[in-house]
Amino acid sequence: MVDSLNTALRRVPAWLLYIVLPLPAFWFLYLGLTGGLGAEPIKALEQELGEFALQLLIVGLAVTPLRRFAGLNLIRFRRAIGLMAFFYVALHLLTWLVLDVQILSQIWADIVKRPYITIGMAGFVLLVPLALTSNNWSVRRLGPRWRKLHKLTYLAVLLGGVHYLMLAKGLQLEPLLYLGVILGLLALRIEPGKLRRRIGRRSAA
């Protein structure tokens, strides 16, 4: 079953994701312009873009565990998923900057005074170098440092989950589920053998 699915996925070009994944952004915008996002369309648009960005970040985070534990190979799509996640994070941020706050001094004040915005902005800043180096030239240029740099993804996704949790009014189930999935996927990436070796080296030191 998994082998046949992997065979079918190999026939899907990765570039197709750059066409398909931006489509929800146009749908959200259409809903906002036609009243489909409720009484506060700008706030709703921010939320839709941010939540879809978080979903894509989670999918990207799940690629390695899916291959390791389920045999499902989505590695060839991971770069496109990551770049599209950054695209939606950037749209989420731009919607907040341009349509919501608009006043430059107020933007800085919100970043400094509101912890959930501070955390969200920190996650965005971490994603910037990852997006800029998501190309073959950077992989060759950076060598082993490329993998180390892209481990910032883990922290960026975690910050995104915390940002969503803090943004929600009151204790809501959905943000908790997102954060739980993120923590679970991060835990699955821990290799017990490597962890034991690291603990052993520290004990020896």
Side-chain angles (χ1 to χ4, degrees), residues 91-184:
L91 286 181
H92 172 68
L93 177 60
L94 283 172
T95 302
W96 175 68
L97 292 174
V98 178
L99 300 180
D100 190 355
V101 182
Q102 297 182 343
I103 304 170
L104 185 60
S105 58
Q106 184 62 42
I107 290 170
W108 179 248
D110 283 352
I111 292 173
V112 173
K113 293 180 180 179
R114 298 186 182 185
Y116 73 90
I117 295 180
T118 307
I119 289 173
M121 189 62 69
F124 172 74
V125 169
L126 290 178
L127 288 174
V128 171
L130 305 185
L132 292 176
T133 57
S134 290
N135 53 74
N136 293 333
W137 182 85
S138 295
V139 174
R140 293 191 299 268
R141 183 75 175 177
L142 294 174
R145 292 175 296 172
W146 187 89
R147 287 186 177 276
K148 292 181 180 179
L149 175 65
H150 278 251
K151 287 183 179 180
L152 289 175
T153 303
Y154 310 152
L155 180 56
V157 180
L158 182 58
L159 289 175
V162 173
H163 169 72
Y164 186 31
L165 180 64
M166 295 177 70
L167 183 61
K169 295 179 180 179
L171 194 61
Q172 296 185 24
L173 180 59
E174 189 174 4
L176 287 171
L177 289 175
Y178 275 104
L179 188 57
V181 170
I182 291 168
L183 292 173

Side-chain angles (χ1 to χ4, degrees), residues 37-54:
L37 292 180
E40 296 185 354
I42 294 175
K43 290 288 185 184
L45 181 61
E46 280 181 43
Q47 182 176 343
E48 293 289 352
L49 292 170
E51 189 170 348
F52 195 72
L54 187 59

